[in-house]
């Protein structure tokens, strides 16, 4: 009987041990893209959402054809690049991400805007 109790205690310890309990592990996925040309930025953002990334930083470039789906007035007033990045932020917002913009110095690259997003859940 004593042996059975000892075995049960050992099993309980193993079950609650942090190294054996997968629920205690926090998995964080962060997606970073630099100079993701054209629609590659959109693909990266979609992938980040699909894998439930907790953080995203994407530096788009080469905006040709990336403004589809944005109102003409925004494209005319703000330009294609802003129109595309605003559309991208609305996509992230619809997917439960808080998004913002950041930059790196223009001396590094003139395509210096970064879309930064974090999961709101």
């Amino acid at each position: 009987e004593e042996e059975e109790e000892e075995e049960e205690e050992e099993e309980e310890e193993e079950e609650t041990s942090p190294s054996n309990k997968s629920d205690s592990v926090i998995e964080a996925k962060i997606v970073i893209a630099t100079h993701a040309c054209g629609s590659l930025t959109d693909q990266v953002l979609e992938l980040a959402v699909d894998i439930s990334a907790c953080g995203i930083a994407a530096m788009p470039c080469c905006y040709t054809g990336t403004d589809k789906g944005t109102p003409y007035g925004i494209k005319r007033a703000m330009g294609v690049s802003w129109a595309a990045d605003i559309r991208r932020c609305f996509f992230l917002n619809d997917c439960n991400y808080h998004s913002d913009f950041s930059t790196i110095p223009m001396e590094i690259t003139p395509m210096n805007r970064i879309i930064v997003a974090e999961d709101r859940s």
Side-chain angles (χ1 to χ4, degrees), residues 73-83 86:
I74 293 175
K75 289 187 265 190
R76 184 184 52 75
M78 303 185 82
V80 170
S81 64
W82 271 112
I86 289 169

Side-chain angles (χ1 to χ4, degrees), residues 9 13 22 28-29 44 50-51 54 61 67 78 88 91-92 100 114:
E9 285 177 21
E13 285 177 22
S22 63
K29 298 174 189 153
V44 166
D50 288 347
I51 67 168
C54 62
C61 74
D67 61 337
M78 303 185 82
R88 290 166 171 154
F91 165 75
L92 291 168
D100 201 354
I114 304 168

Side-chain angles (χ1 to χ4, degrees), residues 18-30:
S19 62
N20 292 332
K21 193 168 182 179
S22 63
D23 292 343
S24 66
V25 176
I26 298 172
E27 188 175 282
K29 298 174 189 153
I30 299 171

Side-chain angles (χ1 to χ4, degrees), residues 8 11 16-18 38 50 85 92 108 115:
E8 284 178 18
E11 284 176 14
T16 58
S17 169
D50 288 347
D85 289 346
L92 291 168
I108 295 173
I115 299 170

